[in-house]
Amino acid sequence: MPTKAELAAFLAAEFPQTKVMVEAVGDGGARVRHAIGFDELRPGGSVSGPVLMAVADVGLYVALCGELGLTVDVATTNLNTNFLRMPAGDRDIIGECRLLKVGRTLIVGEVSLFSEGDDRPVAHVVGTY
Amino acid sequence: MPTKAELAAFLAAEFPQTKVMVEAVGDGGARVRHAIGFDELRPGGSVSGPVLMAVADVGLYVALCGELGLTVDVATTNLNTNFLRMPAGDRDIIGECRLLKVGRTLIVGEVSLFSEGDDRPVAHVVGTY
Amino acid sequence: MPTKAELAAFLAAEFPQTKVMVEAVGDGGARVRHAIGFDELRPGGSVSGPVLMAVADVGLYVALCGELGLTVDVATTNLNTNFLRMPAGDRDIIGECRLLKVGRTLIVGEVSLFSEGDDRPVAHVVGTY
Amino acid sequence: MPTKAELAAFLAAEFPQTKVMVEAVGDGGARVRHAIGFDELRPGGSVSGPVLMAVADVGLYVALCGELGLTVDVATTNLNTNFLRMPAGDRDIIGECRLLKVGRTLIVGEVSLFSEGDDRPVAHVVGTY
Protein backbone atom coordinates (compact mmCIF):
# COMPACT_ATOMS: atom_id res chain seq x y z
CA MET A 1 0.00 0.00 0.00
CA PRO A 2 1.21 3.56 -0.70
CA THR A 3 3.17 5.48 1.92
CA LYS A 4 2.16 8.95 3.03
CA ALA A 5 4.85 10.46 0.77
CA GLU A 6 3.69 8.47 -2.27
CA LEU A 7 0.11 9.53 -1.63
CA ALA A 8 1.05 13.19 -1.25
CA ALA A 9 3.00 13.08 -4.55
CA PHE A 10 0.10 11.32 -6.30
CA LEU A 11 -2.39 13.91 -5.04
CA ALA A 12 -0.16 16.81 -6.15
CA ALA A 13 0.17 15.29 -9.63
CA GLU A 14 -3.44 14.21 -10.21
CA PHE A 15 -5.31 16.89 -8.28
CA PRO A 16 -3.19 20.09 -8.31
CA GLN A 17 -6.29 22.19 -7.49
CA THR A 18 -6.58 20.85 -3.98
CA LYS A 19 -4.85 22.47 -1.01
CA VAL A 20 -5.46 19.43 1.19
CA MET A 21 -2.27 18.00 2.73
CA VAL A 22 -1.83 14.40 3.82
CA GLU A 23 -0.68 14.02 7.43
CA ALA A 24 -1.16 10.29 8.00
CA VAL A 25 -2.68 7.33 6.20
CA GLY A 26 -3.24 3.64 6.98
CA ASP A 27 -5.30 1.27 9.16
CA GLY A 28 -8.47 2.14 7.27
CA GLY A 29 -8.16 5.86 7.89
CA ALA A 30 -6.30 9.08 7.21
CA ARG A 31 -5.60 12.47 8.75
CA VAL A 32 -5.51 15.50 6.44
CA ARG A 33 -5.01 19.25 6.88
CA HIS A 34 -6.09 22.42 5.05
CA ALA A 35 -4.54 25.84 5.69
CA ILE A 36 -7.08 28.65 6.14
CA GLY A 37 -6.69 32.12 4.61
CA PHE A 38 -8.92 34.77 3.06
CA ASP A 39 -10.06 32.47 0.23
CA GLU A 40 -11.48 29.94 2.67
CA LEU A 41 -13.56 32.36 4.74
CA ARG A 42 -17.31 33.07 4.64
CA PRO A 43 -19.35 35.96 6.04
CA GLY A 44 -18.69 36.27 9.77
CA GLY A 45 -15.02 35.33 9.43
CA SER A 46 -15.58 31.60 9.76
CA VAL A 47 -14.50 28.86 7.33
CA SER A 48 -16.92 28.30 4.44
CA GLY A 49 -18.87 25.05 4.28
CA PRO A 50 -17.54 23.93 0.89
CA VAL A 51 -13.98 24.08 2.27
CA LEU A 52 -14.97 21.74 5.10
CA MET A 53 -16.70 19.42 2.63
CA ALA A 54 -13.63 19.48 0.36
CA VAL A 55 -11.36 18.47 3.24
CA ALA A 56 -13.70 15.56 4.05
CA ASP A 57 -14.06 14.45 0.44
CA VAL A 58 -10.32 14.47 -0.27
CA GLY A 59 -9.58 12.94 3.13
CA LEU A 60 -11.86 9.97 2.46
CA TYR A 61 -10.28 9.60 -0.98
CA VAL A 62 -6.83 9.50 0.67
CA ALA A 63 -8.01 6.90 3.22
CA LEU A 64 -9.44 4.86 0.37
CA CYS A 65 -6.19 4.99 -1.64
CA GLY A 66 -4.46 3.81 1.53
CA GLU A 67 -6.59 0.66 1.35
CA LEU A 68 -6.94 0.09 -2.40
CA GLY A 69 -3.75 1.63 -3.82
CA LEU A 70 -3.36 4.79 -5.91
CA THR A 71 -6.44 5.05 -8.09
CA VAL A 72 -8.47 7.73 -9.81
CA ASP A 73 -11.25 5.31 -10.63
CA VAL A 74 -13.64 6.09 -7.78
CA ALA A 75 -16.38 8.70 -7.59
CA THR A 76 -18.25 10.10 -4.63
CA THR A 77 -21.95 9.24 -4.87
CA ASN A 78 -23.27 10.74 -1.61
CA LEU A 79 -21.85 13.19 0.89
CA ASN A 80 -23.82 14.16 3.98
CA THR A 81 -22.47 16.94 6.17
CA ASN A 82 -23.59 18.14 9.58
CA PHE A 83 -22.18 21.51 10.60
CA LEU A 84 -21.71 21.47 14.37
CA ARG A 85 -19.81 24.62 15.40
CA MET A 86 -18.32 27.71 13.76
CA PRO A 87 -14.70 26.94 12.83
CA ALA A 88 -12.08 29.53 13.78
CA GLY A 89 -11.02 31.65 10.80
CA ASP A 90 -7.36 31.64 11.79
CA ARG A 91 -6.64 27.96 12.37
CA ASP A 92 -6.01 25.05 10.04
CA ILE A 93 -8.79 22.55 9.53
CA ILE A 94 -7.89 18.97 10.43
CA GLY A 95 -9.88 16.00 9.09
CA GLU A 96 -9.83 12.64 10.89
CA CYS A 97 -11.12 10.07 8.37
CA ARG A 98 -12.22 6.50 9.02
CA LEU A 99 -13.58 3.95 6.55
CA LEU A 100 -16.71 2.14 7.78
CA LYS A 101 -16.94 -0.31 4.87
CA VAL A 102 -14.74 -1.16 1.91
CA GLY A 103 -16.78 -3.42 -0.37
CA ARG A 104 -16.66 -4.34 -4.03
CA THR A 105 -19.37 -1.88 -5.09
CA LEU A 106 -19.80 0.27 -1.97
CA ILE A 107 -17.29 2.18 0.13
CA VAL A 108 -18.48 4.26 3.10
CA GLY A 109 -16.43 6.43 5.42
CA GLU A 110 -16.86 9.16 8.01
CA VAL A 111 -14.82 12.26 8.82
CA SER A 112 -14.69 14.42 11.92
CA LEU A 113 -13.40 17.92 11.19
CA PHE A 114 -11.65 20.12 13.75
CA SER A 115 -10.12 23.57 14.04
CA GLU A 116 -6.53 22.80 15.04
CA GLY A 117 -6.08 22.89 18.81
CA ASP A 118 -9.75 22.38 19.68
CA ASP A 119 -11.03 18.84 20.23
CA ARG A 120 -14.72 19.64 19.68
CA PRO A 121 -15.63 18.77 16.06
CA VAL A 122 -16.77 21.65 13.80
CA ALA A 123 -18.42 19.28 11.33
CA HIS A 124 -19.12 15.59 10.73
CA VAL A 125 -19.29 14.08 7.26
CA VAL A 126 -20.34 10.68 5.92
CA GLY A 127 -19.44 9.86 2.33
CA THR A 128 -20.12 6.94 -0.03
CA TYR A 129 -18.13 5.92 -3.11
CA MET B 1 -38.14 41.68 -0.71
CA PRO B 2 -34.74 42.25 -2.41
CA THR B 3 -34.48 42.35 -6.18
CA LYS B 4 -31.99 40.23 -8.09
CA ALA B 5 -29.67 43.25 -8.42
CA GLU B 6 -29.82 44.02 -4.69
CA LEU B 7 -29.07 40.42 -3.87
CA ALA B 8 -26.13 40.28 -6.27
CA ALA B 9 -24.67 43.47 -4.74
CA PHE B 10 -25.20 42.12 -1.22
CA LEU B 11 -23.47 38.86 -2.09
CA ALA B 12 -20.51 40.66 -3.68
CA ALA B 13 -20.09 42.84 -0.57
CA GLU B 14 -20.59 40.20 2.12
CA PHE B 15 -19.14 37.15 0.43
CA PRO B 16 -16.45 38.31 -2.06
CA GLN B 17 -14.91 34.82 -2.07
CA THR B 18 -17.81 33.24 -3.91
CA LYS B 19 -17.96 33.06 -7.71
CA VAL B 20 -21.66 32.21 -7.66
CA MET B 21 -23.80 34.59 -9.74
CA VAL B 22 -27.50 35.25 -9.14
CA GLU B 23 -29.68 34.70 -12.22
CA ALA B 24 -33.15 34.82 -10.72
CA VAL B 25 -34.77 34.97 -7.29
CA GLY B 26 -38.30 34.92 -5.93
CA ASP B 27 -41.36 32.67 -5.44
CA GLY B 28 -39.52 30.58 -2.85
CA GLY B 29 -36.64 29.77 -5.16
CA ALA B 30 -33.59 31.00 -7.03
CA ARG B 31 -31.43 30.18 -10.03
CA VAL B 32 -27.66 30.64 -9.74
CA ARG B 33 -24.67 30.08 -12.01
CA HIS B 34 -20.97 29.29 -11.53
CA ALA B 35 -18.39 29.59 -14.33
CA ILE B 36 -16.07 26.58 -14.65
CA GLY B 37 -12.32 26.87 -15.29
CA PHE B 38 -9.15 25.05 -14.22
CA ASP B 39 -9.67 25.86 -10.52
CA GLU B 40 -13.03 24.06 -10.48
CA LEU B 41 -11.87 20.80 -12.07
CA ARG B 42 -11.05 17.46 -10.48
CA PRO B 43 -9.14 14.43 -11.79
CA GLY B 44 -10.76 13.25 -15.02
CA GLY B 45 -11.57 16.79 -16.18
CA SER B 46 -14.94 16.97 -14.45
CA VAL B 47 -16.15 19.58 -11.95
CA SER B 48 -15.09 18.90 -8.35
CA GLY B 49 -17.74 17.98 -5.80
CA PRO B 50 -17.08 20.92 -3.45
CA VAL B 51 -17.78 23.35 -6.32
CA LEU B 52 -21.18 21.72 -6.85
CA MET B 53 -21.89 21.85 -3.12
CA ALA B 54 -20.86 25.51 -3.00
CA VAL B 55 -23.27 26.39 -5.80
CA ALA B 56 -26.07 24.63 -3.93
CA ASP B 57 -25.22 26.18 -0.57
CA VAL B 58 -25.02 29.72 -1.92
CA GLY B 59 -28.07 29.17 -4.12
CA LEU B 60 -30.20 28.14 -1.15
CA TYR B 61 -28.88 31.13 0.77
CA VAL B 62 -29.95 33.39 -2.10
CA ALA B 63 -33.42 31.79 -2.23
CA LEU B 64 -33.70 32.28 1.51
CA CYS B 65 -32.72 35.95 1.33
CA GLY B 66 -35.40 36.27 -1.36
CA GLU B 67 -37.94 35.20 1.27
CA LEU B 68 -36.53 36.71 4.47
CA GLY B 69 -34.64 39.76 3.23
CA LEU B 70 -30.88 40.38 3.15
CA THR B 71 -29.43 38.64 6.19
CA VAL B 72 -26.16 37.07 7.27
CA ASP B 73 -27.73 35.56 10.35
CA VAL B 74 -28.38 32.05 9.07
CA ALA B 75 -26.09 29.04 9.13
CA THR B 76 -26.26 25.76 7.23
CA THR B 77 -26.73 22.86 9.63
CA ASN B 78 -27.01 19.93 7.21
CA LEU B 79 -26.19 19.49 3.53
CA ASN B 80 -26.81 16.20 1.79
CA THR B 81 -25.53 15.77 -1.76
CA ASN B 82 -26.15 13.01 -4.28
CA PHE B 83 -23.79 13.05 -7.24
CA LEU B 84 -25.72 11.75 -10.25
CA ARG B 85 -23.60 12.26 -13.38
CA MET B 86 -20.17 13.62 -14.30
CA PRO B 87 -20.55 17.34 -15.07
CA ALA B 88 -18.88 18.62 -18.25
CA GLY B 89 -15.60 20.42 -17.51
CA ASP B 90 -16.27 23.17 -20.06
CA ARG B 91 -19.78 24.31 -19.18
CA ASP B 92 -21.17 26.53 -16.46
CA ILE B 93 -22.96 24.89 -13.57
CA ILE B 94 -26.56 26.04 -13.07
CA GLY B 95 -28.36 25.55 -9.76
CA GLU B 96 -32.17 25.50 -9.59
CA CYS B 97 -33.09 26.08 -5.92
CA ARG B 98 -36.46 25.60 -4.25
CA LEU B 99 -37.39 26.09 -0.60
CA LEU B 100 -39.42 23.23 0.88
CA LYS B 101 -40.08 24.86 4.25
CA VAL B 102 -39.44 28.28 5.72
CA GLY B 103 -40.15 28.03 9.46
CA ARG B 104 -39.12 29.98 12.50
CA THR B 105 -36.36 27.58 13.53
CA LEU B 106 -36.04 25.33 10.47
CA ILE B 107 -35.55 26.16 6.81
CA VAL B 108 -35.18 23.35 4.25
CA GLY B 109 -34.54 23.58 0.53
CA GLU B 110 -33.46 21.47 -2.40
CA VAL B 111 -31.24 22.18 -5.40
CA SER B 112 -30.94 20.45 -8.75
CA LEU B 113 -27.59 21.13 -10.43
CA PHE B 114 -27.04 21.01 -14.18
CA SER B 115 -24.27 21.48 -16.73
CA GLU B 116 -25.57 24.30 -18.90
CA GLY B 117 -27.41 22.97 -21.95
CA ASP B 118 -28.11 19.51 -20.53
CA ASP B 119 -31.40 18.91 -18.71
CA ARG B 120 -30.28 15.79 -16.83
CA PRO B 121 -29.19 16.84 -13.30
CA VAL B 122 -25.52 16.24 -12.37
CA ALA B 123 -26.26 16.44 -8.64
CA HIS B 124 -29.14 16.91 -6.20
CA VAL B 125 -28.69 18.64 -2.86
CA VAL B 126 -30.92 19.08 0.19
CA GLY B 127 -29.88 21.64 2.78
CA THR B 128 -31.22 22.74 6.17
CA TYR B 129 -30.69 26.07 7.91
CA MET C 1 -43.38 -2.84 -17.55
CA PRO C 2 -45.62 -3.99 -14.66
CA THR C 3 -49.06 -2.49 -14.16
CA LYS C 4 -50.17 -1.07 -10.84
CA ALA C 5 -52.13 -4.28 -10.11
CA GLU C 6 -49.12 -6.51 -10.90
CA LEU C 7 -46.93 -4.39 -8.67
CA ALA C 8 -49.42 -4.49 -5.79
CA ALA C 9 -49.66 -8.29 -6.05
CA PHE C 10 -45.87 -8.62 -6.21
CA LEU C 11 -45.45 -6.43 -3.12
CA ALA C 12 -48.08 -8.40 -1.17
CA ALA C 13 -46.34 -11.68 -2.05
CA GLU C 14 -42.71 -10.66 -1.52
CA PHE C 15 -43.08 -8.14 1.30
CA PRO C 16 -46.17 -9.09 3.35
CA GLN C 17 -44.89 -7.05 6.31
CA THR C 18 -45.40 -3.73 4.58
CA LYS C 19 -48.69 -1.80 4.84
CA VAL C 20 -47.74 0.46 1.94
CA MET C 21 -50.32 0.49 -0.87
CA VAL C 22 -49.56 1.32 -4.51
CA GLU C 23 -51.75 4.09 -5.94
CA ALA C 24 -49.97 4.84 -9.21
CA VAL C 25 -46.77 3.88 -10.98
CA GLY C 26 -45.03 4.83 -14.23
CA ASP C 27 -43.19 7.71 -15.96
CA GLY C 28 -40.24 7.36 -13.59
CA GLY C 29 -42.33 7.77 -10.48
CA ALA C 30 -44.96 6.33 -8.17
CA ARG C 31 -47.59 7.38 -5.64
CA VAL C 32 -48.06 5.25 -2.52
CA ARG C 33 -50.26 5.41 0.59
CA HIS C 34 -50.01 4.19 4.20
CA ALA C 35 -52.99 4.09 6.57
CA ILE C 36 -52.29 5.56 10.01
CA GLY C 37 -53.51 3.99 13.27
CA PHE C 38 -52.21 3.54 16.82
CA ASP C 39 -49.20 1.47 15.70
CA GLU C 40 -47.91 4.32 13.53
CA LEU C 41 -48.06 7.07 16.16
CA ARG C 42 -45.30 8.59 18.27
CA PRO C 43 -45.42 10.69 21.45
CA GLY C 44 -47.54 13.78 20.79
CA GLY C 45 -49.99 11.91 18.56
CA SER C 46 -48.07 12.48 15.35
CA VAL C 47 -46.82 9.83 12.89
CA SER C 48 -43.48 8.26 13.86
CA GLY C 49 -40.44 8.97 11.71
CA PRO C 50 -39.73 5.35 10.77
CA VAL C 51 -43.23 5.06 9.29
CA LEU C 52 -42.52 8.06 7.04
CA MET C 53 -39.16 6.58 6.05
CA ALA C 54 -40.79 3.22 5.32
CA VAL C 55 -43.33 4.86 2.99
CA ALA C 56 -40.49 6.61 1.14
CA ASP C 57 -38.31 3.51 0.93
CA VAL C 58 -41.09 1.27 -0.38
CA GLY C 59 -42.36 4.03 -2.67
CA LEU C 60 -38.99 4.43 -4.34
CA TYR C 61 -38.76 0.65 -4.68
CA VAL C 62 -42.16 0.66 -6.41
CA ALA C 63 -41.08 3.48 -8.75
CA LEU C 64 -37.93 1.53 -9.53
CA CYS C 65 -39.85 -1.67 -10.31
CA GLY C 66 -41.99 0.47 -12.61
CA GLU C 67 -38.83 1.22 -14.60
CA LEU C 68 -36.83 -2.02 -14.29
CA GLY C 69 -39.55 -4.66 -13.88
CA LEU C 70 -40.42 -6.75 -10.82
CA THR C 71 -37.16 -7.41 -9.00
CA VAL C 72 -35.98 -8.10 -5.48
CA ASP C 73 -32.36 -7.64 -6.43
CA VAL C 74 -31.86 -4.05 -5.32
CA ALA C 75 -30.82 -2.72 -1.92
CA THR C 76 -31.06 0.75 -0.44
CA THR C 77 -27.58 2.13 0.26
CA ASN C 78 -28.42 5.63 1.53
CA LEU C 79 -31.61 7.27 2.76
CA ASN C 80 -31.63 10.89 3.84
CA THR C 81 -34.78 12.28 5.45
CA ASN C 82 -35.71 15.83 6.36
CA PHE C 83 -38.71 16.11 8.66
CA LEU C 84 -40.53 19.32 7.78
CA ARG C 85 -43.82 19.42 9.69
CA MET C 86 -45.72 17.27 12.20
CA PRO C 87 -47.98 14.89 10.25
CA ALA C 88 -51.59 14.61 11.41
CA GLY C 89 -52.19 11.45 13.44
CA ASP C 90 -55.56 10.77 11.82
CA ARG C 91 -54.79 11.01 8.12
CA ASP C 92 -53.15 8.65 5.66
CA ILE C 93 -49.62 9.40 4.56
CA ILE C 94 -49.16 9.85 0.82
CA GLY C 95 -45.76 9.52 -0.84
CA GLU C 96 -45.05 11.14 -4.21
CA CYS C 97 -41.90 9.44 -5.59
CA ARG C 98 -39.74 10.53 -8.50
CA LEU C 99 -36.58 8.89 -9.84
CA LEU C 100 -33.72 11.34 -10.47
CA LYS C 101 -31.35 8.84 -12.07
CA VAL C 102 -31.62 5.22 -13.15
CA GLY C 103 -28.11 4.05 -13.98
CA ARG C 104 -26.39 0.68 -14.20
CA THR C 105 -24.82 0.91 -10.75
CA LEU C 106 -26.60 3.89 -9.20
CA ILE C 107 -30.29 4.69 -8.83
CA VAL C 108 -31.38 7.87 -7.03
CA GLY C 109 -34.88 9.08 -6.27
CA GLU C 110 -36.72 11.59 -4.11
CA VAL C 111 -40.02 11.43 -2.24
CA SER C 112 -42.26 14.16 -0.90
CA LEU C 113 -44.52 12.92 1.90
CA PHE C 114 -47.89 14.47 2.74
CA SER C 115 -50.74 14.05 5.20
CA GLU C 116 -53.73 13.41 2.94
CA GLY C 117 -55.58 16.62 2.16
CA ASP C 118 -52.71 18.99 2.98
CA ASP C 119 -50.37 20.06 0.19
CA ARG C 120 -47.50 21.14 2.44
CA PRO C 121 -44.98 18.26 2.66
CA VAL C 122 -44.40 16.70 6.11
CA ALA C 123 -41.08 15.18 5.05
CA HIS C 124 -38.71 14.97 2.11
CA VAL C 125 -36.56 11.91 1.43
CA VAL C 126 -33.73 11.17 -0.99
CA GLY C 127 -32.71 7.55 -1.44
CA THR C 128 -29.97 5.74 -3.39
CA TYR C 129 -29.94 2.12 -4.56
CA MET D 1 -29.93 12.60 35.12
CA PRO D 2 -32.26 9.61 34.65
CA THR D 3 -31.06 6.09 35.30
CA LYS D 4 -31.45 3.31 32.74
CA ALA D 5 -34.50 2.00 34.65
CA GLU D 6 -36.16 5.43 34.74
CA LEU D 7 -35.55 5.88 31.03
CA ALA D 8 -36.96 2.45 30.19
CA ALA D 9 -40.11 3.18 32.23
CA PHE D 10 -40.49 6.62 30.60
CA LEU D 11 -40.15 5.10 27.12
CA ALA D 12 -42.71 2.38 27.89
CA ALA D 13 -45.19 5.00 29.15
CA GLU D 14 -44.70 7.66 26.46
CA PHE D 15 -43.91 5.55 23.44
CA PRO D 16 -45.64 2.14 23.88
CA GLN D 17 -45.41 1.48 20.13
CA THR D 18 -41.64 1.05 20.18
CA LYS D 19 -39.96 -2.32 20.74
CA VAL D 20 -36.59 -0.67 21.40
CA MET D 21 -35.06 -1.64 24.76
CA VAL D 22 -32.57 0.48 26.68
CA GLU D 23 -29.36 -1.37 27.59
CA ALA D 24 -27.17 1.48 28.78
CA VAL D 25 -27.26 5.27 28.92
CA GLY D 26 -24.87 8.03 30.03
CA ASP D 27 -21.61 9.77 29.09
CA GLY D 28 -23.21 11.37 26.03
CA GLY D 29 -24.34 8.04 24.59
CA ALA D 30 -26.62 5.02 24.84
CA ARG D 31 -26.84 1.38 23.81
CA VAL D 32 -30.22 0.04 22.70
CA ARG D 33 -31.54 -3.30 21.43
CA HIS D 34 -34.40 -4.46 19.18
CA ALA D 35 -35.54 -8.08 18.95
CA ILE D 36 -36.01 -9.36 15.39
CA GLY D 37 -38.94 -11.55 14.30
CA PHE D 38 -41.14 -11.93 11.22
CA ASP D 39 -42.50 -8.38 11.48
CA GLU D 40 -39.03 -6.89 11.17
CA LEU D 41 -37.94 -8.79 8.05
CA ARG D 42 -37.80 -7.68 4.43
CA PRO D 43 -37.55 -9.66 1.19
CA GLY D 44 -34.46 -11.87 1.33
CA GLY D 45 -34.87 -12.60 5.05
CA SER D 46 -32.86 -9.59 6.23
CA VAL D 47 -33.97 -6.83 8.61
CA SER D 48 -35.97 -4.03 6.94
CA GLY D 49 -34.42 -0.58 6.68
CA PRO D 50 -37.12 1.25 8.66
CA VAL D 51 -36.49 -1.06 11.64
CA LEU D 52 -32.80 -0.08 11.58
CA MET D 53 -33.74 3.60 11.32
CA ALA D 54 -36.21 3.24 14.19
CA VAL D 55 -33.52 1.74 16.42
CA ALA D 56 -31.21 4.65 15.60
CA ASP D 57 -33.87 7.31 16.07
CA VAL D 58 -35.04 5.98 19.44
CA GLY D 59 -31.45 5.31 20.52
CA LEU D 60 -30.43 8.91 19.89
CA TYR D 61 -33.55 10.07 21.74
CA VAL D 62 -32.53 7.90 24.71
CA ALA D 63 -28.96 9.29 24.63
CA LEU D 64 -30.39 12.78 24.51
CA CYS D 65 -32.70 12.17 27.50
CA GLY D 66 -29.60 10.88 29.32
CA GLU D 67 -28.09 14.36 28.85
CA LEU D 68 -31.13 16.65 29.11
CA GLY D 69 -33.51 14.69 31.35
CA LEU D 70 -36.79 13.01 30.45
CA THR D 71 -38.41 15.15 27.78
CA VAL D 72 -40.80 14.74 24.90
CA ASP D 73 -40.08 18.20 23.59
CA VAL D 74 -37.56 17.34 20.89
CA ALA D 75 -38.16 16.43 17.25
CA THR D 76 -35.88 14.80 14.70
CA THR D 77 -35.20 17.20 11.83
CA ASN D 78 -32.76 15.14 9.73
CA LEU D 79 -31.82 11.48 9.67
CA ASN D 80 -29.22 10.19 7.24
CA THR D 81 -28.68 6.44 7.01
CA ASN D 82 -26.01 4.46 5.19
CA PHE D 83 -26.79 0.76 4.85
CA LEU D 84 -23.50 -1.11 4.98
CA ARG D 85 -24.21 -4.86 5.17
CA MET D 86 -27.23 -7.18 5.22
CA PRO D 87 -28.23 -7.74 8.87
CA ALA D 88 -28.88 -11.33 9.93
CA GLY D 89 -32.62 -12.08 10.15
CA ASP D 90 -32.26 -14.12 13.34
CA ARG D 91 -30.24 -11.83 15.59
CA ASP D 92 -31.13 -8.79 17.66
CA ILE D 93 -30.09 -5.40 16.35
CA ILE D 94 -27.85 -3.42 18.70
CA GLY D 95 -27.47 0.37 18.37
CA GLU D 96 -24.42 2.14 19.79
CA CYS D 97 -25.34 5.84 20.01
CA ARG D 98 -23.03 8.80 20.59
CA LEU D 99 -23.92 12.49 20.74
CA LEU D 100 -21.60 14.72 18.69
CA LYS D 101 -23.07 18.02 19.81
CA VAL D 102 -25.64 19.07 22.39
CA GLY D 103 -26.39 22.75 21.77
CA ARG D 104 -29.25 25.06 22.59
CA THR D 105 -30.88 24.82 19.16
CA LEU D 106 -29.00 21.92 17.56
CA ILE D 107 -28.32 18.40 18.76
CA VAL D 108 -26.43 15.95 16.53
CA GLY D 109 -25.61 12.31 17.17
CA GLU D 110 -24.43 9.20 15.35
CA VAL D 111 -25.37 5.55 15.70
CA SER D 112 -23.57 2.41 14.59
CA LEU D 113 -25.95 -0.55 14.21
CA PHE D 114 -24.87 -4.19 14.57
CA SER D 115 -26.34 -7.67 14.36
CA GLU D 116 -25.63 -9.08 17.81
CA GLY D 117 -22.37 -11.04 17.87
CA ASP D 118 -20.86 -9.43 14.76
CA ASP D 119 -18.65 -6.38 15.19
CA ARG D 120 -18.97 -5.14 11.58
CA PRO D 121 -21.67 -2.43 11.46
CA VAL D 122 -24.76 -3.15 9.33
CA ALA D 123 -25.70 0.53 9.13
CA HIS D 124 -24.52 3.97 10.23
CA VAL D 125 -26.91 6.78 11.03
CA VAL D 126 -26.48 10.49 11.75
CA GLY D 127 -29.42 12.37 13.21
CA THR D 128 -30.15 15.99 14.11
CA TYR D 129 -32.71 17.33 16.60
Side-chain angles (χ1 to χ4, degrees):
Chain A
M1 286 299 102
T3 64
K4 176 192 144 186
E6 284 165 348
L7 245 163
F10 176 73
L11 207 60
E14 295 288 336
F15 198 5
Q17 292 92 343
T18 189
K19 295 186 190 169
V20 174
M21 290 170 294
V22 182
E23 297 240 310
V25 65
D27 290 326
R31 188 172 63 249
V32 293
R33 172 189 294 266
H34 196 300
I36 301 301
F38 175 77
D39 287 351
E40 283 75 29
L41 300 184
R42 45 152 280 165
S46 185
V47 177
S48 83
V51 171
L52 298 176
M53 296 187 280
V55 176
D57 193 21
V58 176
L60 284 174
Y61 176 65
V62 166
L64 209 148
C65 288
E67 290 290 297
L68 301 180
L70 304 174
T71 175
V72 296
D73 195 22
V74 291
T76 313
T77 50
N78 175 266
L79 202 79
N80 185 60
T81 305
N82 281 287
F83 298 96
L84 304 174
R85 294 173 185 85
M86 287 296 205
D90 56 0
R91 293 183 184 198
D92 287 5
I93 291 291
I94 309 293
E96 298 280 358
C97 314
R98 188 168 67 94
L99 299 173
L100 298 171
K101 172 178 174 135
V102 181
R104 199 174 50 83
T105 57
L106 178 65
I107 298 169
V108 181
E110 69 172 333
V111 183
S112 293
L113 294 158
F114 302 89
S115 284
E116 186 166 30
D118 190 336
D119 62 359
R120 297 169 304 164
V122 296
H124 181 265
V125 177
V126 182
T128 67
Y129 295 81
Chain B
M1 285 300 104
T3 63
K4 176 191 144 185
E6 285 165 348
L7 244 163
F10 177 72
L11 207 61
E14 294 289 336
F15 198 5
Q17 294 92 344
T18 190
K19 296 185 190 169
V20 173
M21 291 169 293
V22 182
E23 298 240 311
V25 66
D27 290 328
R31 187 172 65 249
V32 293
R33 172 188 294 266
H34 196 299
I36 301 300
F38 175 78
D39 287 352
E40 283 75 29
L41 300 184
R42 45 153 281 169
S46 183
V47 178
S48 85
V51 170
L52 298 176
M53 296 187 281
V55 176
D57 194 21
V58 175
L60 285 174
Y61 176 65
V62 166
L64 209 149
C65 288
E67 290 290 298
L68 301 180
L70 303 174
T71 175
V72 296
D73 196 23
V74 291
T76 314
T77 50
N78 175 265
L79 202 79
N80 185 60
T81 306
N82 281 287
F83 299 96
L84 304 174
R85 294 171 185 86
M86 288 296 204
D90 55 1
R91 293 181 184 199
D92 286 5
I93 291 291
I94 309 293
E96 297 281 358
C97 313
R98 189 168 68 93
L99 298 173
L100 299 171
K101 170 176 176 136
V102 181
R104 199 175 49 82
T105 58
L106 177 66
I107 299 169
V108 182
E110 69 172 334
V111 184
S112 294
L113 294 157
F114 301 89
S115 285
E116 186 166 31
D118 189 337
D119 63 359
R120 296 168 305 164
V122 296
H124 180 266
V125 177
V126 182
T128 69
Y129 295 80
Chain C
M1 286 298 104
T3 63
K4 176 192 142 184
E6 285 165 347
L7 244 163
F10 176 73
L11 207 60
E14 294 289 335
F15 198 6
Q17 293 92 346
T18 190
K19 296 185 189 169
V20 173
M21 290 169 295
V22 182
E23 298 239 310
V25 66
D27 290 326
R31 187 172 66 249
V32 293
R33 172 188 295 266
H34 196 300
I36 301 300
F38 176 77
D39 287 351
E40 283 74 29
L41 300 184
R42 45 152 280 167
S46 183
V47 177
S48 84
V51 170
L52 298 176
M53 296 188 280
V55 177
D57 194 21
V58 176
L60 284 174
Y61 175 66
V62 167
L64 208 149
C65 288
E67 289 291 297
L68 301 180
L70 303 174
T71 175
V72 295
D73 196 22
V74 291
T76 313
T77 50
N78 176 265
L79 201 80
N80 185 60
T81 305
N82 281 287
F83 299 96
L84 304 174
R85 293 172 185 87
M86 287 297 203
D90 55 0
R91 293 182 185 198
D92 286 5
I93 291 291
I94 310 292
E96 298 281 357
C97 314
R98 189 167 67 94
L99 298 174
L100 298 170
K101 171 176 175 137
V102 181
R104 199 174 49 83
T105 58
L106 177 66
I107 298 168
V108 182
E110 68 171 335
V111 183
S112 294
L113 294 157
F114 302 89
S115 285
E116 187 166 31
D118 189 336
D119 63 359
R120 297 168 305 163
V122 296
H124 181 265
V125 177
V126 182
T128 68
Y129 295 81
Chain D
M1 287 299 103
T3 63
K4 176 191 144 185
E6 285 165 348
L7 245 163
F10 176 73
L11 206 60
E14 294 288 336
F15 198 4
Q17 294 92 344
T18 190
K19 296 186 190 169
V20 174
M21 291 170 294
V22 182
E23 297 240 309
V25 65
D27 290 326
R31 188 173 63 250
V32 294
R33 172 188 294 266
H34 196 300
I36 301 301
F38 175 77
D39 287 352
E40 283 75 29
L41 300 185
R42 44 153 280 168
S46 186
V47 178
S48 83
V51 170
L52 297 176
M53 296 187 282
V55 177
D57 193 21
V58 176
L60 284 174
Y61 176 65
V62 167
L64 209 148
C65 288
E67 289 290 298
L68 302 181
L70 303 175
T71 175
V72 296
D73 195 24
V74 291
T76 314
T77 50
N78 175 265
L79 201 79
N80 184 60
T81 305
N82 281 287
F83 298 96
L84 304 174
R85 294 172 184 86
M86 288 296 204
D90 55 0
R91 293 181 185 199
D92 286 5
I93 291 291
I94 309 292
E96 298 280 358
C97 313
R98 189 167 67 94
L99 298 173
L100 298 170
K101 172 177 174 134
V102 181
R104 199 175 49 83
T105 57
L106 178 66
I107 298 169
V108 182
E110 69 172 335
V111 183
S112 293
L113 294 157
F114 302 89
S115 285
E116 186 166 31
D118 190 337
D119 63 0
R120 297 169 304 165
V122 297
H124 181 265
V125 177
V126 182
T128 68
Y129 295 81

